[in-house]
Structure formats: C-alpha cells, structure tokens
Amino acid sequence: SALSLTDKGMRLASRTIGVKAKHGKLEIEQGQLDGKSFKAVLDRSKLLVGKIETVAIRIMERARNVYRNVEELQQTRARRIRTRVEGTYQLNSETSYIKSEKNVNIDGKRIHLG
C-alpha cells in the first residue's frame, strides 16, 4: 500500500481498502468511478439529480411494485415492445389513439365496445 501527499493532492493505492463510520459525508465537485463491478446494499436510498443519462447493453429490473409519476411526457422509442401480464391489463385515459401502418389484431373470447 502507498499513500502520497503533495501540495496538488493525495493518492492512496492499495489492494484492499475499508472505511467504516457511523456517519460520513463526501463532497466532490467532479468525480469518476472506474471498475469492473460495483455493488451497493442499502436499506433506503434517495437520489436527487437534475438529469440522468444511462447507457447500457442490457438493463434488468426486478421489483414487487413500481409506481412512476410523470408530470409531462413519458416516451419510449423501440424497435419492438412486448408487455406480458398474467392478470388484468388496464388502460385508463381521457383519449386513446392507436395507429398502425399494417394490421391490428384483437383476439379474445368476448369484445365489448361502447
């Protein structure tokens, strides 16, 4: 392990590092985290951000319930979208609009209109 202190900064190099404290605060004006793996285990998390940009090959999310509130627009651009629901699929809106350049298929035991 090595610790270097100069008038321009500090550098700590070690194979393993551990920090434990009851309370802590880290303030960095600009930062970067590089690594092969990152894991966080938290009882509760709150993140306040002006803008988030995520770039990933694949995103897997698992949750018991998800609630999302959007004040203005939620938009998804995709080559394909598939939604799989075991129970009821419910859509409530003031106005609904479906436009297709090709076929629209509705398959069900009963279809109620009106």
Side-chain angles (χ1 to χ4, degrees):
S1 297
L3 174 62
S4 173
L5 299 170
T6 67
D7 58 340
K8 293 183 180 180
M10 177 186 82
R11 178 176 168 81
L12 173 61
S14 180
R15 187 179 350 191
T16 303
I17 184 170
V19 177
K20 184 175 181 178
K22 185 159 178 131
H23 299 281
K25 186 175 183 179
L26 178 63
E27 292 186 32
I28 299 174
E29 188 171 321
Q30 185 176 2
Q32 180 175 329
L33 172 65
D34 294 322
K36 292 185 180 182
S37 177
F38 179 76
K39 179 180 178 180
V41 178
L42 307 166
D43 287 334
R44 186 170 181 208
S45 173
K46 184 175 184 178
L47 181 64
L48 302 173
V49 178
K51 180 180 180 182
I52 293 179
E53 182 176 331
T54 303
V55 179
I57 300 297
R58 176 179 293 162
I59 297 175
M60 302 292 290
E61 295 178 311
R62 297 186 197 286
R64 180 166 295 212
N65 297 292
V66 176
Y67 300 93
R68 180 176 289 133
N69 295 305
V70 179
E71 287 185 22
E72 293 183 26
L73 172 68
Q74 177 174 307
Q75 176 175 310
T76 301
R77 290 180 183 251
R79 189 171 57 89
R80 296 181 320 126
I81 294 179
R82 175 177 53 213
T83 303
R84 299 175 68 171
V85 180
E86 287 185 17
T88 301
Y89 181 83
Q90 181 175 333
L91 170 68
N92 297 332
S93 69
E94 185 177 315
T95 303
S96 296
Y97 177 72
I98 299 172
K99 180 181 178 184
S100 176
E101 292 182 11
K102 294 186 179 179
N103 298 332
V104 174
N105 298 314
I106 300 174
D107 184 4
K109 283 186 179 179
R110 290 183 273 165
I111 298 172
H112 302 275
L113 300 173

